[in-house]
Amino acid sequence: MVSENICYTDAYARQADAVVVETDPDAHAVLLDRSVFYPGGGGQPADTGQLVGDAGGSWRVIGAKKRGDDIWHTIAEGEELPAVDTQVTAELDWGRRHQLMRTHSALHVLCGVVWRDHQASVTGGNMDPLSGRMDFEFETMSGDLVGEIERRVNEEVAADREIRVAILPRDEAFAIPDLIRTKINLLPEGISEVRTIEIVGLDLQADGGTHVAHTGEIGRVKVTGYESKGRINKRIRIEVLDA
Ligand SMILES: [Zn+2]
C-alpha cells in the first residue's frame, strides 16, 4: 500500500478526507489512504493534528513517520486506535505547520544568501516552529558578518521571491550544478526522482520539506546567534518574526 502523500505537492492542504487502511498497535499508529501530515525529515519536525471520525470520535495525532513510501500517524498514548475502514477527516495543527513552513523557507533563504555572498556550503540544520539553526563550512564567518547576513536575508524576504516545488527524474537532477553543491550525492541509491525546492533567483536544493509559496510570507528573520564549531564549521541561529 502506498498512501497518497499530499504534503509533498500541496503544502497548504490542511486536511483530507481519508480512510484507515491499516493499524499498528505496537507503534500505536495508523496508516490512512491519504495524508496531509509531513512525516519529519531534513531538519523539519513531523506534523501533529487530529483525526475526526465521520461517525464520531476523534484521535490526537502526536507525530508522523515514513515507512517506505507510506506515512504512519502516531496516535496519543491512552487513546484506542480507530478500526480499519473508519472514515475520518485528518487535520493538521495548521498554526504550528505554517510556522514550520515559514521557518524552513527562512533557512533556505539563509543558505542561498550565504552561498551567493560567501560560497559557504551547508552541512546540516534543524528547526522548531519559528526558530532554527544551520551549520556551514564557513571559515571566514565572524561576529561582524552577522548583521550583514541578517540584512541580506531580509532583503530577499522583502523581494517576495516565488518558491517552487518540482519533482525531477534522478538524471535530470544530477545534471544541475546547484543540486550537486547541496550534497544531492548523499541521496540513497535507487531513488528515481528528486524533489527540489527553488527560491527563484536565489537558491535551489533537493529537499523533502514543506515551504511557503513566496518569501514574503516568512515575515522577518532575526539572526540570534553564531557559534564556532571549529575553525571551519560555523553555526548560525535564527528566529522568525511577524513582518
Ligand atoms: Zn530544507
Side-chain angles (χ1 to χ4, degrees), residues 77 172 197:
E77 233 179 285
E172 204 176 304
I197 299 294

Side-chain angles (χ1 to χ4, degrees), residues 2-19 32-39 47 66 69-71 73 90-92 94 97 101 165 167 195 208-211:
V2 175
S3 53
E4 183 190 354
N5 300 328
I6 298 164
C7 68
Y8 296 120
T9 48
D10 182 5
Y12 289 87
R14 306 173 185 205
Q15 61 175 57
D17 294 331
V19 177
L32 306 174
D33 63 337
R34 34 205 317 251
S35 180
V36 288
F37 284 72
Y38 181 66
D47 286 325
K66 213 167 179 189
D69 287 325
D70 287 331
I71 294 172
H73 307 76
E91 302 173 350
L92 294 184
W94 173 250
R97 152 65 93 74
M101 286 161 58
V165 184
I167 294 169
R195 184 173 180 272
T210 59
H211 289 262

Side-chain angles (χ1 to χ4, degrees), residues 122-143:
V122 173
T123 59
N126 213 345
M127 75 201 77
D128 290 310
L130 302 183
S131 70
R133 62 168 173 81
M134 293 244 88
D135 295 335
F136 295 92
E137 289 178 347
F138 195 171
E139 196 170 356
T140 58
M141 177 67 191
S142 68

Side-chain angles (χ1 to χ4, degrees), residues 76-119:
E77 233 179 285
E79 293 184 19
E80 205 174 309
L81 296 180
V84 169
D85 291 336
T86 302
Q87 301 200 359
V88 298
T89 304
E91 302 173 350
L92 294 184
D93 285 335
W94 173 250
R96 176 177 178 275
R97 152 65 93 74
H98 189 246
Q99 289 180 343
L100 286 166
M101 286 161 58
R102 290 167 61 197
T103 309
H104 200 156
S105 296
L107 289 168
H108 281 219
V109 172
L110 175 66
C111 289
V113 164
V114 166
W115 174 257
R116 181 196 64 196
D117 297 350
H118 304 283
Q119 292 74 52

